[in-house]
Amino acid sequence: MPKQTRKERSIALYEAIASLQTVEECCRFFDDLCAVTELRAMEQRFDVARLLCQDKVYTEIMEATNASSATISRVNRMLNYGTGCLAQTIEKQMGNETTEDA
């Protein structure tokens, strides 16, 4: 049996996400597209990434997010060896929050 080739990435999804105009529209889009468990998992990983970027330790992150040490480790690996976009996005968002608080 021939080895299965990896499916090409569907850019249409990312174009649709990029076209969303508001946070509310984005929430509705993902509510329609994803199961609740998928959304909660992504939200949790993002929360973990934010806390890692704030130099929080694993025990603090576990307490704040209810994430397992394996999930925290996986997110930490993405931050350290991924494309860098996640960390850049978080830094930009955290910078905007600081500016809005001033």
Side-chain angles (χ1 to χ4, degrees), residues 2-102:
K3 185 177 178 181
Q4 202 172 19
T5 59
R6 188 172 178 161
K7 185 179 176 192
E8 293 267 337
R9 178 175 284 192
S10 173
I11 298 301
L13 170 64
Y14 303 100
E15 290 171 340
I17 294 167
S19 75
L20 300 171
Q21 302 291 316
T22 65
V23 172
E24 181 184 328
E25 185 179 16
C26 190
C27 288
R28 290 191 340 259
F29 176 86
F30 281 100
D31 284 344
D32 285 349
L33 184 65
C34 300
V36 171
T37 54
E38 293 169 322
L39 285 173
R40 296 303 167 257
M42 287 190 290
E43 291 165 358
Q44 182 185 60
R45 287 193 299 268
F46 188 78
D47 290 343
V48 167
R50 285 176 53 94
L51 293 169
L52 286 167
C53 287
Q54 294 171 10
D55 296 323
K56 301 294 182 187
V57 296
Y58 276 37
T59 53
E60 291 176 290
I61 297 169
M62 289 170 74
E63 195 172 294
T65 65
N66 229 13
S68 69
S69 59
T71 295
I72 297 168
S73 179
R74 190 175 312 116
V75 172
N76 192 44
R77 208 169 28 256
M78 287 186 296
L79 286 170
N80 289 315
Y81 302 107
T83 66
C85 188
L86 178 58
Q88 289 170 348
T89 302
I90 289 169
E91 288 173 17
K92 184 172 30 171
Q93 185 182 41
M94 289 169 53
N96 288 341
E97 289 173 1
T98 303
T99 304
E100 290 171 3
D101 291 342

